[in-house]
Amino acid sequence: MTLLSDQADDIRALVGSADPGAVWAVGGPDGVHAASHATDDAVFDVGGLTAVLALWPALGSLVEEGALRLHTPLAAYGEEAAAGTPVGTTAHHLLTHADGTAALTRLAEHLSDSSLAELAATRVWHPLGMIRTRYADGVLHAPLADLVRFLSHLLAPADTDGPTGITSAWTAESLRIRTGELTPARGLLWHQAPHGVWAYPAPAAATGPALWVSPGRRRWAVLLPTLPPGRHTTLRTAFRDAAFALP
């Protein structure tokens, strides 16, 4: 679904008046439909998106190759994989809980015998052409162009130089409610939001960068704000609503 020119103008006016320094883009599987004027060489702190840019696709690649089964207790993968988790905990449990990312990172590193940074670079970022996405001083950084590649591929997995961990099957499994009637509703690391949209981080998160994707509308959005937490929550909600409003 292509963003109409008046929708793009509305988003531009919205973000420009609320947070002139913010970087944003809205697009689809074919790339960007509208965006802020970020310089091509600018690299941004996207540490708040590490779970979805690195961990989520890395786990998808392990599931795809059969090294990880979501409903198998972690103890089956060895004591190190299950350390610090309750008996019977599975990867599915951790993927649907907000505080499960540390244990999931340990699991991914245990199964791959490599750090998450190495695993994501080899299996996700490099095959997608995200060659400038990397850790610096322990924090994930990426340019807007790399985030666009990631989100566009998520909506329409295309041929790459190798597996990316973002297959149609893994995306479909992740972007559906996996928590039954519990609230808030969650998928696999992704969070349900209004308008048939999936978000990371959770819609209630108060600060930092955010991603949204709607397979049904074939649209994604990204916002890298500069606002302090109190004002950022309002902008995030308004930006999401404007980006995914039906024409």
Side-chain angles (χ1 to χ4, degrees):
M1 180 183 294
T2 301
L3 197 71
L4 301 181
S5 59
D6 58 342
Q7 290 178 292
D9 290 341
D10 288 345
I11 296 171
R12 228 172 252 115
L14 168 71
V15 179
S17 62
D19 187 1
V23 174
W24 61 272
V26 180
D30 55 342
V32 176
H33 297 165
S36 59
H37 299 292
T39 57
D40 291 339
D41 59 351
V43 178
F44 305 96
D45 177 343
V46 292
L49 302 176
T50 300
V52 75
L53 292 176
L55 180 58
W56 174 70
L59 291 169
S61 73
L62 293 170
V63 169
E64 182 180 8
E65 71 178 24
L68 173 63
R69 295 179 296 279
L70 296 186
H71 296 282
T72 296
L74 301 187
Y77 301 110
E79 293 184 7
E80 182 179 346
T85 61
V87 175
T89 296
T90 67
H92 185 273
H93 290 142
L94 298 173
L95 283 161
T96 55
H97 286 77
D99 58 354
T101 54
L104 284 168
T105 298
R106 185 173 63 247
L107 174 64
E109 293 179 337
H110 174 74
L111 293 177
S112 64
D113 196 27
S114 62
S115 69
L116 178 60
E118 295 169 334
L119 180 61
T122 302
R123 298 196 181 197
V124 185
W125 305 333
H126 290 173
L128 286 179
M130 297 167 62
I131 57 175
R132 298 178 63 210
T133 298
R134 65 194 61 178
Y135 284 87
D137 298 323
V139 177
L140 187 62
H141 289 74
L144 181 61
D146 280 8
L147 301 180
V148 169
R149 289 187 179 92
F150 180 90
L151 291 164
S152 299
H153 181 83
L154 192 157
L155 284 182
D159 292 336
T160 63
D161 292 334
T164 64
I166 311 174
T167 63
S168 297
W170 180 238
T171 299
E173 284 294 296
S174 300
L175 303 185
R176 67 180 179 88
I177 296 175
R178 305 297 294 256
T179 49
E181 298 181 357
L182 298 177
T183 56
R186 294 190 178 97
L188 300 181
L189 283 184
W190 292 85
H191 305 265
Q192 192 179 44
H195 314 300
V197 176
W198 290 88
Y200 195 89
T207 188
L211 304 177
W212 297 267
V213 62
S214 174
R217 298 187 184 185
R218 308 289 284 168
R219 184 173 292 176
W220 54 258
V222 54
L223 175 66
L224 309 178
T226 62
L227 285 174
R231 295 178 59 201
H232 171 238
T233 303
T234 302
L235 173 59
R236 177 181 285 182
T237 301
F239 175 81
R240 179 202 66 206
D241 290 348
F244 291 93
L246 291 173

